[in-house]
């Protein structure tokens, strides 16, 4: 599991070492290489020392040695070049039958990654998605798929709160839309007040968790609104479309701005405004009469990019807007690719693609272009990648 | 005198018989001559037959009236059904568009006439999209499509309060399929009656 997590981080090339029942890995994204030993890997020498020249000869930059000592698991990260221990992580893992076991191991992998390269990983994350009108969660490595919505109504558009403990989604029935907030795990759900009288959809949390932005379709068209979910009050209308629709809001991570879709140029394109609705302007450039409809924006957690999909020659492709330079680049070209959602490292995106013949969830690493399927099931759509899901873990430097 | 009394006795006998023939009516007219009694019997028989004939005639007429009514009702029902079908006929849209196509204006004009001829009638318009567009954007597009049709009806004199609208996005396709023939049928407005839909009148 740890080996796969490090592999899926796309920051290492995993080297499999011969011998024993151990799993060994190493990596090459540029100079970095890593090697990891499996639990109770046979090894010459005592804990804390390693045959560094051997690992160096294999081209490894790091080696991860995981051993179980009673109910505590020790993960020792060796710096091969420095011929010493970079860090020892001491973790009390739950039993493998415990529902939190996998997440605990994922968190350990993330800590190891942080120790190696100083950047936290994305192993301890989950993705919400919709299938057959229900919301499911799945670990980022494709394990532990679980139903999380409880209603018979059709669910759409799940969205994470930045604390990772709540999500919002829309329930759709008889042409009307209700917004709900739901606790992860417990499943307790609360209706967002004032919704359901119209068609309310595409909820998005502000980073501080106080505000929910959403789209509301009425006789006047569709516009972006916000509501204070802390006090359940203060409905505000941020756009007044009249002859155009405005929808699909997404907050910048500093909470200052909202990117959204507007049809004011005649077909949907990506716009941006201040979080109070002022200063509305075009965000992702397009060629009038040439560029296709653009939809489903999501602001990256590092604030530097906005992912969205755009109609290219009659099918949809995933694009990324560079917020600073306001330039766009196309990420996909095979099949239909839509509804991108950022991993917390702002480097990976999950999206829906029919490249394998049916619509399922895929993950792309923007730096290497590596693409892997997340889910081998038809009909999955509208994914939402969680923030890092932290639980108390102990580590020693 | 003896013969007279005998005659009288015979006469009484006839009267008794006549009374019996009268259907058990205890005839009070003991003194009625036998000839008159027979005539009376005949009259009564005649009137009974006449009453029966009259009753049968009335029954026939009632049955005829009922049949005519049934026919009329059926015709009205057929007319109402026709009106209902005309009202329910869908209109369609170009890809990612919500404007009313010129070939659908006649369809909407028929609905205007029906709504004018049936002032109690209320309807709901549901806007739908094909699967090609974005899932969430299609909710806004479906709303636009329903609003377009409502706008057309209102601009032709129908009170806006009689028309509800809904968007279904791409969530309720009419036709399964992943080609233009399916998509073009799925990009549509549906019209349903929400009130005052009994005995609809032809415009």
């Amino acid at each position: 599991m740890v080996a796969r997590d490090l592999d899926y981080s796309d920051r290492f090339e995993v080297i499999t070492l011969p011998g024993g029942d151990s799993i060994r890995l190493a990596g090459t994204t540029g100079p970095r290489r890593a090697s990891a030993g499996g639990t109770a890997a046979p090894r010459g020498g005592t804990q804390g020392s390693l045959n560094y020249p051997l690992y160096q000869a294999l081209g490894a930059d790091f080696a991860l040695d995981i051993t179980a000592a009673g109910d505590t698991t020790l993960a020792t990260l060796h710096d091969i070049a420095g011929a010493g221990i970079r860090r020892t992580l001491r973790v009390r893992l739950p039993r493998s039958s415990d529902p939190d076991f996998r997440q605990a191991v994922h968190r350990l992998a993330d800590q190891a990654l942080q120790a190696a390269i100083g950047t936290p990983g994305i192993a301890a994350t989950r993705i919400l998605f919709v299938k057959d009108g229900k919301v499911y969660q799945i670990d980022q490595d494709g394990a532990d798929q679980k139903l999380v919505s409880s209603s018979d109504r059709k669910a759409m558009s799940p969205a994470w709160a930045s604390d990772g403990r709540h999500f919002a989604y829309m329930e759709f029935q008889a042409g009307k839309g209700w917004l709900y907030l739901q606790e992860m795990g417990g499943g307790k759900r609360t209706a967002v007040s004032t919704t359901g009288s119209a068609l309310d959809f595409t909820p998005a949390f502000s980073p501080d968790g106080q505000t929910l932005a959403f789209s509301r379709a009425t006789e006047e068209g569709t516009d972006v609104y916000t509501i204070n979910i802390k006090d359940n009050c203060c409905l505000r209308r941020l756009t007044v479309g009249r002859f155009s629709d405005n929808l699909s809001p997404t907050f910048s991570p500093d909470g200052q701005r909202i990117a959204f879709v507007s049809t004011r140029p005649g077909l949907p394109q990506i716009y941006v405004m201040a979080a109070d609705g002022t200063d509305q302007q075009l965000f992702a450039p397009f060629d009038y009469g040439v560029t296709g409809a653009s939809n489903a924006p999501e602001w990256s957690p590092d604030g530097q990019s906005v992912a969205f999909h755009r109609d290219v020659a009659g099918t949809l492709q995933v694009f990324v807007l560079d917020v600073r330079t306001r330039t766009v680049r196309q990420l996909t070209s095979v099949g239909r690719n839509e509804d991108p959602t950022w991993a917390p490292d702002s480097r990976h995106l999950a999206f829906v693609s029919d490249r394998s013949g049916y619509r399922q969830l895929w993950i792309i690493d923007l730096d290497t272009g590596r693409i892997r399927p997340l889910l081998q099931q038809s009909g999955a759509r509208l994914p939402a990648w969680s923030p890092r899901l932290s639980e108390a873990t102990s580590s020693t430097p | 005198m003896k013969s007279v009394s005998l005659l009288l006795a015979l006469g009484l006998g006839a009267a008794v018989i006549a009374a019996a023939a009268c259907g058990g009516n205890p005839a009070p007219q003991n003194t009625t001559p036998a000839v008159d009694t027979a005539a009376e019997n005949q009259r009564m028989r005649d009137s009974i037959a006449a009453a029966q004939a009259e009753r049968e005639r009335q029954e026939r007429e009632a049955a005829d009236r009922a049949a005519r009514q049934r026919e009329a009702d059926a015709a009205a029902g057929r007319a109402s059904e026709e009106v209902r079908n005309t009202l329910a006929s869908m209109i369609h849209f170009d890809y990612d568009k919500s404007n009313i196509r010129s070939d659908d204006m006649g369809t909407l004009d028929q609905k205007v006439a029906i709504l004018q001829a049936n002032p109690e009638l209320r309807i709901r318009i549901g806007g739908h999209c094909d699967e090609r567009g974005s899932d969430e954007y299609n909710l806004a597009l479906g709303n636009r499509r329903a609003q377009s049709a409502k706008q057309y009806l209102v601009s032709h004199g129908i009170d806006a309060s009689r028309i509800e609208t809904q968007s279904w996005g791409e969530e309720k396709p009419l036709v399964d399929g992943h080609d233009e023939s399916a998509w073009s049928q799925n990009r549509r407005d549906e019209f349903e009656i929400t009130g005052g839909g009994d005995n609809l009148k032809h415009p």
Side-chain angles (χ1 to χ4, degrees):
Chain A
M1 251 177 94
V2 173
R4 188 166 58 177
D5 283 345
L6 294 177
D7 179 29
Y8 285 172
S9 78
D10 291 309
R11 295 174 194 272
F12 299 107
E13 178 193 315
V14 175
I15 299 174
T16 304
L17 298 183
D21 57 354
S22 62
I23 312 158
R24 314 286 173 92
L25 353 134
T28 105
T29 46
R32 290 189 191 103
R33 280 159 191 261
S35 168
T39 304
R43 193 174 307 297
T46 56
Q47 165 69 31
S49 76
L50 205 63
N51 185 352
Y52 292 115
L54 168 64
Y55 282 78
Q56 219 158 8
L58 287 166
D61 290 324
F62 298 101
L64 186 63
D65 178 35
I66 301 174
T67 52
D71 58 354
T72 303
T73 299
L74 283 177
T76 309
L77 181 76
H78 300 269
D79 182 341
I80 303 298
I85 293 173
R86 169 73 66 91
R87 187 170 300 178
T88 301
L89 304 163
R90 201 180 307 272
V91 181
R92 202 175 291 256
L93 289 179
R95 288 174 191 283
S96 60
S97 58
D98 189 289
D100 193 45
F101 173 76
R102 295 189 63 88
Q103 283 297 307
V105 174
H106 287 318
R107 285 192 293 272
L108 177 62
D110 281 343
Q111 285 180 301
L113 187 75
Q114 168 107 45
I117 61 168
T119 308
I122 53 167
T125 60
R126 291 189 169 118
I127 292 164
L128 294 172
F129 64 95
V130 174
K131 188 171 179 292
D132 300 328
K134 305 214 177 300
V135 180
Y136 292 84
Q137 69 173 32
I138 190 168
D139 291 356
Q140 55 74 33
D141 63 353
D144 267 357
Q145 183 179 332
K146 209 182 291 176
L147 176 70
V148 291
S149 68
S150 54
S151 167
D152 289 337
R153 288 179 182 158
K154 198 182 187 82
M156 287 180 76
S157 308
W160 287 90
S162 53
D163 65 3
R165 297 178 193 280
H166 301 82
F167 69 101
Y169 66 105
M170 171 224 194
E171 281 187 4
F172 184 75
Q173 191 178 49
K176 301 268 184 236
W178 288 258
L179 300 181
Y180 283 91
L181 307 178
Q182 186 166 326
E183 285 175 13
M184 293 309 299
K188 182 180 163 239
R189 63 187 201 126
T190 323
V192 176
S193 69
T194 81
T195 73
S197 57
L199 174 55
D200 293 338
F201 58 108
T202 61
F205 286 92
S206 65
D208 64 8
Q210 307 251 334
T211 304
L212 197 70
F214 60 97
S215 319
R216 169 171 288 184
T218 69
E219 306 229 325
E220 294 177 57
T222 301
D223 278 298
V224 176
Y225 289 71
T226 54
I227 188 166
N228 179 327
I229 44 172
K230 189 117 183 153
D231 305 321
N232 233 336
C233 76
C234 317
L235 182 71
R236 273 180 79 179
R237 182 174 176 179
L238 299 190
T239 63
V240 181
R242 297 188 204 286
F243 300 107
S244 66
D245 290 327
N246 300 283
L247 61 147
S248 299
T250 174
F251 279 92
S252 62
D254 64 4
Q256 298 296 304
R257 289 191 286 174
I258 294 174
F260 64 105
V261 169
S262 179
T263 62
R264 62 194 74 178
L267 78 176
Q269 292 296 348
I270 309 301
Y271 277 66
V272 70
M273 61 183 161
D276 64 359
T278 60
D279 194 22
Q280 300 184 11
Q281 52 177 283
L282 181 68
F283 208 10
F286 69 98
D287 292 331
Y288 192 82
V290 178
T291 307
S294 306
N295 273 292
E298 187 175 300
W299 212 307
S300 67
D302 66 5
Q304 292 176 16
S305 313
V306 173
F308 60 98
H309 66 235
R310 178 172 271 180
D311 190 322
V312 178
T315 192
L316 302 177
Q317 301 298 346
V318 173
F319 282 71
V320 169
L321 165 72
D322 182 304
V323 168
R324 195 177 52 79
T325 62
R326 300 224 174 163
T327 52
V328 296
R329 84 176 158 116
Q330 183 175 342
L331 286 188
T332 59
S333 53
V334 179
R336 171 182 165 134
N337 303 282
E338 59 192 305
D339 289 314
T341 178
W342 290 100
D345 63 0
S346 296
R347 173 177 161 153
H348 293 83
L349 284 167
F351 60 101
V352 179
S353 178
D354 69 355
R355 60 187 59 216
S356 62
Y358 52 90
R359 282 190 202 182
Q360 63 175 28
L361 302 181
W362 292 74
I363 289 174
I364 184 171
D365 172 36
L366 272 63
D367 284 15
T368 63
R370 181 183 175 201
I371 293 180
R372 65 176 170 100
L374 170 66
L375 183 69
Q376 308 279 7
Q377 282 176 22
S378 176
R381 59 177 185 156
L382 301 169
W385 205 319
S386 76
R388 292 188 175 91
L389 302 171
S390 60
E391 288 289 338
T393 47
S394 63
S395 94
T396 55
Chain B
M1 289 304 285
K2 196 170 183 183
S3 65
V4 170
S5 83
L6 181 67
L7 255 178
L8 186 63
L10 278 172
L12 278 170
V16 169
I17 291 163
C22 246
N25 239 354
Q29 60 270 69
N30 292 356
T31 53
T32 308
V35 176
D36 287 351
T37 304
E40 177 65 15
N41 287 347
Q42 186 56 49
R43 262 201 315 281
M44 289 179 83
R45 276 195 295 275
D46 286 352
S47 83
I48 288 164
Q52 269 170 354
E54 173 64 17
R55 196 160 55 242
E56 279 164 17
R57 190 183 63 77
Q58 283 177 1
E59 278 169 6
R60 261 198 318 278
E61 278 184 7
D64 285 353
R65 267 199 309 277
R68 276 196 300 276
Q69 186 60 45
R70 273 200 300 280
E71 245 169 64
D73 286 353
R78 277 196 300 277
S80 187
E81 194 57 36
E82 271 177 41
V83 173
R84 200 181 297 276
N85 289 339
T86 306
L87 195 66
S89 64
M90 292 179 263
I91 62 170
H92 297 88
F93 296 87
D94 292 337
Y95 175 59
D96 202 9
K97 293 283 190 288
S98 58
N99 56 296
I100 303 296
R101 297 199 311 216
S102 54
D103 59 337
D104 274 331
M105 288 183 182
T107 307
L108 288 177
D109 290 340
Q110 287 179 320
K111 299 185 204 302
V112 170
I114 292 168
L115 283 159
Q116 279 166 343
N118 298 277
E120 298 303 308
L121 179 60
R122 307 170 75 84
I123 62 166
R124 183 187 297 134
I125 307 174
H128 297 259
C129 307
D130 67 27
E131 62 174 5
R132 270 191 302 168
S134 306
D135 295 7
E136 291 160 334
Y137 169 70
N138 275 341
L139 293 170
L141 180 60
N143 183 57
R144 277 282 161 202
R145 287 178 174 165
Q147 297 305 332
S148 285
K150 175 171 180 172
Q151 216 50 53
Y152 186 96
L153 300 179
V154 168
S155 70
H156 285 71
I158 305 303
D159 193 317
S161 68
R162 296 170 64 191
I163 308 166
E164 259 182 71
T165 55
Q166 284 180 340
S167 172
W168 293 87
E170 63 177 80
E171 307 304 315
K172 219 174 124 186
L174 188 68
V175 180
D176 288 328
H178 309 290
D179 53 18
E180 177 53 29
S181 105
W183 294 330
S184 61
Q185 293 178 72
N186 288 334
R187 296 189 300 263
R188 69 199 192 276
D189 272 352
E190 290 188 358
F191 300 82
E192 57 178 319
I193 294 168
T194 56
D198 297 334
N199 300 318
L200 290 178
K201 289 193 203 66
H202 258 302

